[in-house]
Amino acid sequence: MQKVFKYPRICTICSSLIRFKYVLGHDAMRTMGKANVLISGMKGLGVEVAKNVVLAGVGSVTIQDQGSAEWTDLSSQFYLRESDLGENRALCSEKALARLNSHVRVSACTEALNQDFLRNFQVVVLTDSSLEEQRWVGAFCHTNNIRFIVADTKGLCGQLFCDFGEAFEVRDSDGESPHSAMITHISKENPGIVSCTDEQAHEFTDGMQVTFSGVQGMTELNSCGPIEIKRIGSYSFSICDTSNFSEYEKAGVVTEVKQSKTLSFSLLFNLIWSAHQNLHFGFRALHEFKQKHGRLPKPRNQTDAELLVAMAKQLSTAANFDKFDEDVVHKLSLVAAGDLAPVNAFIGGLAAQEVMKACTGKFTPLKQWFYFDSLECLPDQEDGGLLTEEACAPRSSRYDGQVAVFGADFQEKIKKQRYFLVGAGAIGCELLKNFALIGLGAGEGGHITVTDMDSIERSNLNRQFLFRSEDIGVRKQKSEAAAEAVKKMNPSVNITAHQNRVCPESEGIYTHQFYSGLDGVAAALDNVDARVYLDGRCVQYQRPMLEGGTLGSKGHTLVVVPHLTESYGPASSSGQKAIPLCTLKHFPHRIEHTLQWARDQFEGLFKHSAENVNQYLSDPEFWARTVARGEVEAVEVLEGVYANLSDRPQDWTECVTWARIQWESLYNNDIAQLLHCFPPNHVTSSGLPFWMGAKRCPHPLTFDPANVSLSQGDSDLLCTVERWFIDVYIKTLALLPLQTTHMDFVVAAANLYGQIYGIEGSRDHEGIQKILSGVRVPEFTPKSSVKIAVTDEELAESKERKEEGDLQLPSQNFRMVPLEFEKDDDSNFHMDYIVATSNLRAENYDIPAADRHKSKLIAGRIIPAIATTTAAVAGLMCLELYKLVQGHRRISSFRVAYVNMAVQYYVLSQPGRAPTFTVSKTSSPGWDVQFCPRKADDRLLKKKWCFK
C-alpha cells in the first residue's frame, strides 16, 4: 500500500530567519546561535537592544535589571504596562522577549552583576549604568576576552562604546556579496590580461584576490588558489603569469575572495579622555553630577545646567581640549532627564548590530566611541519656543519621559495629530511602535490610519516584531495585526486598519477630503514606484511626508516639508534594486522573487525541518520554548516533526514519491487554493480589483515528465515568431538548450530528500519515470476562503487529529542530516533544485524563466531586511516627526540620513530646498506659470498651468 506523505512544513522560526541569513551568512548565523549575551538595564534602550538581539537568533539572552518600572519608563519601554508600575523591569519584559524567538533562551536576572556571573557570557551590554560599573565590568571583560558594549541615551543624545579585545578578527568587513564578472578572454602572457563582458563595468580594485571557475581551455585557472589582481580598466585587469597555461577558449566567471583582518581595542578607562567631543565630556559630567546629587539635572533647570557645564568644562580643560562648546552641554543638561523612544530605537539598533558583530566577526565593529544628538529637535527659541521648568515637570503620566524634553503643550499637540501610515511591514511595525510610545494620535481628534494589503508570512517574524506566529494565515492582514498590537502598548491610540494598495485605482478611497484631513503621511514601502506615487499625492495635497527604506545593513530617511524641502521625486534609473520581501509567497512578478522563494523552500525543507527534528529529539527545552509562543506555532512545528519522523522514507522509491507529491502541492494545489480564495475577478472590500498592478494572476500546472521549456535568453530568440510558425523553426529549437523542468524538480527534490535521511539517490531519469508511473497523487479540493472547516465537527476532528499526532510522536535515537546550501557544487543537486523550483514558480505566474547561470548569479545577490536597520531608520524618521509636529520652518532643523551599519557609515545632512516657481506674464489672456514641485521630474517641470 502506498504511503500518503505529509510533506514537512517549513520551520516557523527558522524560515523567519532566512532573510537574516542573507545578510550575515550561514557561518555567522551558526556562530551567533551559540553565543550567550547579557543585556543589563531594561529601560527603553535596554529592551530595544534585547528585542533586536533576540530576533537575530543568538543562543541565549539574559536580561538584568534591579530596578522597578516607573512612569518615565513607559515613554519608551514597549513591554511595560501601567499595571507593571513598581514591578521589576526585567521580570516584566522576560516573557514578551521570549515569545519573539523560541530558538533563543531568554532569562531574567534581578541581582547585582558580579564577576562569576559575567563569565557565562561571550558578549556583555550595559545600558543605564554608572561610570564605576562601566569601568570594572569593562576591565573584567577585556581581561577575559568577553566582548563589551556600553549604550546610553539621555533625552535627545546618545552614546555607544565597544571593546572587543586586543585581537578581534573581522572575517567580512562590509558584508557585500563578493564581486564577480563574466570573462570574455584571457591572454597568454606575463602578466595575463583578463577581459570581462562590456555589459557592466567590473568592480575589482588593485590588491583584491580572486578565483576563477568555469573557464574552458585555460582550465589551470579553475584550480588555482586566490590570485591577486591589478586593475587596468573598467572591463579588464591583470593576474599572474599565464604564458605556460593552455589557450583560453571561452566562458568563465571571476569572483572576489573576501579577506579577513584583525583589530585591536583598548580599555574604556584608557580611552575616557581620547574622544575629543563635547558630548563626551557632557556624558562624563552627567555621571559626576548624578554621583554627587543622586539624580540627573532637572528638566529645563538653569541652575543644574550651569553646574553641568562647569563640570564638563573642567574635564575638557584637563584633557587639553580647546574647542569646548558650552551650548551643547547646556542643552544636554536641559533634556538629560528625558527618555525618548525614537532615540532609543536608533541607538538600540546600532548597539544590537554591534552585538551581532561581536558574535560573528561579520562587518566592521565600532572603533570605539560613537556619539549622536538630535538637539535641532528642540523648539526654536526665536519663534517663541522657550520652555519652562514647570512645563517639563513630571505629571505621573506615561509620557513623562517625553514631556521632560518637549513640554506638556507639545504632548497635547502630538496626541491630536492625524497621520496616514502606508505599509505595515518591517519599518511600518517599528514606526507604529514608536507612534504608540510617543502618543501620536492618542488624544481627542487624533488618529492613525494604517494600510497594507499583505498578509503575514513566517519570514516576517524576524524583523516585524509586532506579529506573532498565530497571526500567520491568509485571513490575518498585517495592518490589522499591527493595529491590535500597538493598542496593547498604548490603549489610548486611535487607529484604523485598511487593506488597500495606495495607487491610482484607490484614489476613490484616498480622496482630496481624506488627505486634507491629515497632518502628515509616513511611507514604509518596499518599492520605489509606490514611494514615487505617494510622494506625488503628498505634493498635490501639500502634506508633509516621512519616508524611509532599508537594504540589508543600509538605510535612508527623508523628510518632505511642503514649500520648504525637495520631495522624493521620480525613480532613479540607476542602482541595483532590492527584492521586495512581502510579495514572495503569493504575488511574485520577477524572476528574482521566484529565486528567493526557491531558496526559502530549500532552507525550510532540507535544512530547518531536519534541524527541528534533531533539536526536538535532543533538547528537552526545545518543545517548551516552542509551546510558549502559542498554539498555532506549536501545532505547525509538531506537524513538521511528525511528518519527518512518522513518514520517514525507507527507500529511494518513497523519496521519488514524496518529490512527485511535493510538486503537485507547490505548483498545482497551492495555486488552486490561492485562486479559490482570490479568483481572477476577485475585488477587495473597497471594490478594487485584487489582481492588479504587480499582482500577476497565477495558473496551476499539470505534471508532465516530458515537459520542456526555454530559458529567458533562449525564448527571446522566438518572441517574434507566431505560434503557428513554430514548426518552421524546428531546427532552431533543436539547437537550443531545452530544460525538462518538471522532471528536473523531481530528480533534485528526491535526491535532496534522500540525503537528509541518509538514502542514496539516483540521476537515472528512466528509472525515476518508472517509479512515477506507479505514484498515486492524492486528489485535492480547495478549501473555502471564508471558513476552512465546514462544520464545528470537522474543526474538532481536525484538532483531535493534531492532538493524537502529539501523543503518537515517535521517540527514537535518530538524527537527520540538515543540508547547507552550496551553489558552486554542481554535483550536490542544490542549484538543480533552485533552478527547477524557481522556473516552475515562474511558469505559474508567466514570468520568463532564467537559465542556470543567471539563476546562480541572482540567487547569490539576494539582499534581505534586518531588524537592527529597520529599528534605527524608524527612530530617525520619528525624530523628524517631532520637528513637523512643532511646526519647524527652518530647513537647517531637518535631516536626511544615509547609514550603513556594516561599515560605521552615518551621514545626516540638511535636505535640499524645494524648487521655486517662475511666474511670467504672456501675450495670452491668462498667466503662464512654470510649475516645478518635484526634483528632476521632467514631466512636471514642463507642465504649464494657465490662470484666466
Side-chain angles (χ1 to χ4, degrees), residues 56 59 63 100 105 124 129 234 245-246 321 496 505 510 519 571 613 683 724 735 749 779 872 875 946:
I63 54 175
L100 292 175
R105 299 181 300 278
V124 171
S129 55
S234 298
F245 289 174
S246 304
F321 180 60
T496 301
E505 290 81 0
Y510 304 117
D519 292 294
V613 169
V683 296
W724 54 278
L735 298 175
E779 293 184 3
C946 190

Side-chain angles (χ1 to χ4, degrees), residues 606-806:
F606 308 121
K607 176 176 170 58
H608 298 316
S609 291
E611 290 178 336
N612 217 30
V613 169
N614 292 343
Q615 290 186 48
Y616 178 82
L617 295 176
S618 62
D619 185 353
E621 298 181 2
F622 172 73
W623 184 244
R625 294 196 303 271
T626 302
V627 171
R629 284 179 56 93
E631 178 183 353
V632 173
E633 182 173 313
V635 170
E636 291 181 351
V637 173
L638 171 61
E639 288 178 344
V641 173
Y642 185 88
N644 278 284
L645 293 178
S646 298
D647 294 334
R648 176 182 173 185
Q650 301 301 313
D651 52 33
W652 172 240
T653 297
E654 292 190 354
C655 292
V656 175
T657 301
W658 174 88
R660 171 64 184 90
I661 295 175
Q662 176 80 349
W663 190 102
E664 195 74 10
S665 298
L666 294 176
Y667 304 112
N668 185 289
N669 299 353
D670 289 353
I671 301 299
Q673 177 66 61
L674 180 61
L675 291 174
H676 185 76
C677 295
F678 306 106
N681 59 352
H682 184 73
V683 296
T684 68
S685 59
S686 302
L688 301 174
F690 182 83
W691 299 106
M692 68 176 185
K695 274 189 165 63
R696 289 174 176 255
C697 186
H699 62 274
L701 304 182
T702 301
F703 184 77
D704 179 5
N707 167 270
V708 295
S709 62
L710 296 173
S711 69
Q712 181 178 2
D714 302 323
S715 62
D716 288 343
L717 296 176
L718 301 175
C719 64
T720 61
V721 182
E722 297 289 346
R723 187 173 295 277
W724 54 278
F725 262 137
I726 288 295
D727 59 330
V728 178
Y729 284 81
I730 190 67
K731 292 184 179 179
T732 304
L733 283 169
L735 298 175
L736 297 174
L738 301 179
Q739 302 173 357
T740 55
T741 315
H742 294 202
M743 276 296 294
D744 289 346
F745 175 89
V746 172
V747 173
N751 276 276
L752 294 173
Y753 191 59
Q755 288 175 23
I756 63 176
Y757 287 102
I759 297 174
E760 186 177 355
S762 171
R763 291 184 181 268
D764 180 10
H765 279 226
E766 183 177 350
I768 293 174
Q769 287 196 21
K770 289 182 180 180
I771 297 174
L772 290 175
S773 64
V775 174
R776 178 179 62 83
V777 179
E779 293 184 3
F780 174 76
T781 302
K783 298 178 181 179
S784 169
S785 61
V786 177
K787 52 180 181 179
I788 302 299
V790 177
T791 64
D792 291 342
E793 289 76 13
E794 290 178 356
L795 181 60
E797 289 174 2
S798 175
K799 290 183 177 179
E800 287 174 4
R801 285 194 296 269
K802 291 175 181 177
E803 291 171 0
E804 291 170 1
D806 188 13

